Amino acid sequence: MSPRSSAGFVLVTAAALTAALATPSLAASNTPAQLTQAIASHESHTLHGLARPGKVNATVSSTNWSGYAATGSTGAYTSVTSAWTQPTVTCSSATTYSSFWVGLDGYSNSALEQTGTEADCIGGKATYGAWWEVLPASESAYSGVTVKGGDKFTATVTYTGSTFTMTLADSTEGWTKTTTHAGSSGFKNASAEVVAEAPEVGGSVASLANFGTVTFTGAKADGSNLDTFSPNEIVMTKSSSSAVRAQPGSISGGSFADVWKAS
């Protein structure tokens, strides 16, 4: 090959490399892994290990929930909403999970209608997603969406008198998903929750992913700030000890921060 043709070959390959780097397929490598239905189908958000469930306006503990729950009699609540910024999860080689959501029921009964997001570490890789769930079925992933750390979310669950409407909106990515469902069998609408969670995966409570801090704002039940209902503060603790896994701060004006402490 002559020097001239050799130089031309280098120029061609350089141009091809530049074009390849600009292609959507390579640019997409900057997008974190996304929740799939195959993963979601093994997850559930049932409350575990609740201590002092009959208390009102109290601090209680659970082995997988951290946040606030307004409680009352049957039919006490017909809507719950909150906003948060999706945490950017810190991953090691361990597989860990975390979820952030709003829901009706679930605190004092086996019903639960909810929607939210998650930030997991699966095989050492950050994995984000959005989902809805009506117990006793497992979590269902929203398809065709992208979730990233730093995205701004608003979630709402509303009972209209015959069905539940679960809506999750990502204003950063510009999408909204809505699901309508008849609800859990025997639902009571007796509680409204805003929660950070270590979900149940494969029948056991998962190790909690290091989500840092998630701040919930605009947390409301039936249109009023959640704190006006004197909600129970739920601290997530390890099942084998009282060591704290996640700790909510005080709630005021419908806002509170929830802090990761340990897996």
Side-chain angles (χ1 to χ4, degrees), residues 142-159:
Y142 284 122
S143 62
V145 301
T146 297
V147 177
K148 297 178 181 178
D151 284 3
K152 307 294 185 182
F153 280 92
T154 302
T156 303
V157 177
T158 302
Y159 178 64

Side-chain angles (χ1 to χ4, degrees), residues 28-169:
S29 65
N30 294 323
T31 300
Q34 299 294 300
L35 176 70
T36 65
Q37 184 54 35
I39 297 172
S41 64
H42 296 285
E43 296 189 39
S44 178
H45 302 275
T46 304
L47 178 62
H48 288 269
L50 179 65
R52 306 171 69 204
K55 297 293 183 178
V56 178
N57 191 22
T59 298
V60 301
S61 65
S62 160
T63 56
N64 71 322
W65 286 15
S66 179
Y68 284 89
T71 62
S73 57
T74 299
Y77 304 100
T78 57
S79 71
V80 60
T81 187
S82 189
W84 63 89
T85 298
Q86 176 74 0
T88 299
V89 74
T90 300
C91 294
S92 64
S93 59
T95 295
T96 56
Y97 297 80
S98 62
S99 292
F100 317 95
W101 53 266
V102 303
L104 293 173
D105 275 331
Y107 183 84
S108 56
N109 56 42
S110 59
L112 184 56
E113 301 81 22
Q114 56 184 164
T115 189
T117 65
E118 65 184 80
D120 306 329
C121 295
I122 299 177
K125 184 176 179 61
T127 302
Y128 299 101
W131 52 269
W132 64 274
E133 182 178 81
V134 173
L135 291 180
S138 59
E139 175 185 292
S140 293
Y142 284 122
S143 62
V145 301
T146 297
V147 177
K148 297 178 181 178
D151 284 3
K152 307 294 185 182
F153 280 92
T154 302
T156 303
V157 177
T158 302
Y159 178 64
T160 61
S162 58
T163 58
F164 291 86
T165 299
M166 295 159 280
T167 301
L168 185 67

Side-chain angles (χ1 to χ4, degrees), residues 194-213:
V194 178
V195 165
E197 181 191 20
E200 177 186 306
V201 180
S204 300
V205 174
S207 295
L208 181 63
N210 184 355
F211 61 83
T213 299

